[in-house]
Amino acid sequence: KSVREAEALSQKMLERQRLLDEARREFQAALDAASERLAIIPVEQFIIQGIRAVPDAVVEARDAIYEAQKTLQGSDSAPIKEAVTNAQASVDKALARAESEALRLRAMTDLDECEKTLVQIGHEVREGGFEERIGDLLTHGEKCVQDARKVADAPDVATLVRAARGAVDAVNHAGEQLEKAQAQKRAEEKAEAKKLAAEKRAAAEAKRLIEEKRVAAEAKAEQERLAALH
């Protein structure tokens, strides 16, 4: 009996070990996948841009993966599962933060471009004398950019993204109206030049006709003078 009990106990322990080894392999695969997902985050780019939130989140996720890795040596699968789940959640958090900060960075870049464009538009507005037509649109675009910068650090990046999109739309609208004003001015200048050219041709033609009449009159007078002498 004791031999059978020992054999049964041995089989039970072997089965438990087999299940534990299988679970370890699955947990290891999950940690490997989590590490691969974490590796796609361009940490250096965020550091260069002065954004610490993403590198900090990545470090936290790496630490969670390391801690989970250590639990794989345990004999109880429950703590291992808990540690692996925590590591996966930390990686998800880091990826979400990276995506959020990437959107924030893109929005701030858009605002920088908006400011450059506004400077160029302002120069062309003053140069073309379009202040009355485009001035208000230019002021509105500048205000939209300023308002968007005020929410640059908003916890919900969507707030900044919406504000930046509004600024881009406002600046684009000002640019489009400037292009229309410039096109209209060119058309008016072309029409004026055409009108002046026509007037110049008409004046030249009138002058020619007057000169012809004068020459004809002088010729006639000369003929009459000669006839009177005879």
Side-chain angles (χ1 to χ4, degrees):
K1 182 179 179 180
S2 59
V3 173
R4 287 196 299 273
E5 289 178 349
E7 288 178 348
L9 180 60
S10 177
Q11 288 297 325
K12 186 176 181 180
M13 291 178 64
L14 288 173
E15 179 62 15
R16 180 184 177 188
Q17 185 62 44
R18 185 188 69 78
L19 293 174
L20 181 59
D21 290 342
E22 184 177 323
R24 282 173 177 163
R25 285 192 294 272
E26 291 178 357
F27 289 137
Q28 183 62 63
L31 290 177
D32 291 342
S35 295
E36 290 177 2
R37 293 174 63 218
L38 190 63
I40 68 175
I41 297 176
V43 178
E44 292 297 328
Q45 292 183 22
F46 288 104
I47 293 176
I48 291 173
Q49 296 296 330
I51 299 175
R52 292 298 318 171
V54 175
D56 290 347
V58 170
V59 169
E60 182 180 334
R62 286 173 179 167
D63 289 344
I65 291 174
Y66 177 71
E67 290 301 320
Q69 195 74 46
K70 290 195 298 184
T71 64
L72 290 180
Q73 305 306 316
S75 58
D76 187 353
S77 63
I80 300 176
K81 182 177 182 180
E82 181 179 353
V84 170
T85 300
N86 179 60
Q88 291 173 320
S90 294
V91 170
D92 290 340
K93 180 180 177 181
L95 286 167
R97 193 57 186 267
E99 181 179 0
S100 174
E101 293 305 319
L103 289 173
R104 192 186 307 278
L105 186 59
R106 175 58 185 273
M108 296 305 293
T109 300
D110 287 345
L111 292 178
D112 290 342
E113 291 301 317
C114 280
E115 289 183 336
K116 294 178 184 177
T117 302
L118 284 172
V119 170
Q120 181 63 31
I121 291 175
H123 173 71
E124 294 185 25
V125 165
R126 290 186 294 274
E127 187 179 60
F130 303 124
E131 289 90 342
E132 186 174 343
R133 298 177 60 181
I134 313 296
D136 289 345
L137 294 178
L138 192 61
T139 300
H140 177 63
E142 291 170 346
K143 185 178 184 302
C144 286
V145 172
Q146 292 170 1
D147 290 345
R149 288 199 179 281
K150 290 178 182 178
V151 295
D153 297 323
D156 183 5
V157 72
T159 302
L160 171 61
V161 171
R162 283 193 297 271
R165 186 178 299 118
V168 170
D169 290 344
V171 173
N172 285 341
H173 181 59
E176 290 168 359
Q177 294 306 306
L178 172 61
E179 290 178 357
K180 289 181 180 180
Q182 290 173 327
Q184 182 176 343
K185 183 179 181 180
R186 287 193 296 269
E188 291 172 352
E189 290 174 345
K190 185 177 180 180
E192 182 64 21
K194 188 176 181 180
K195 178 183 177 182
L196 290 174
E199 290 176 350
K200 186 176 181 180
R201 286 194 300 272
E205 179 64 14
K207 183 178 179 180
R208 185 184 66 79
L209 291 174
I210 291 172
E211 181 64 17
E212 285 182 354
K213 288 180 180 180
R214 184 188 66 78
V215 171
E218 289 179 350
K220 182 178 180 181
E222 180 64 17
Q223 288 177 353
E224 290 175 349
R225 187 183 66 81
L226 293 174
L229 291 176
H230 291 292

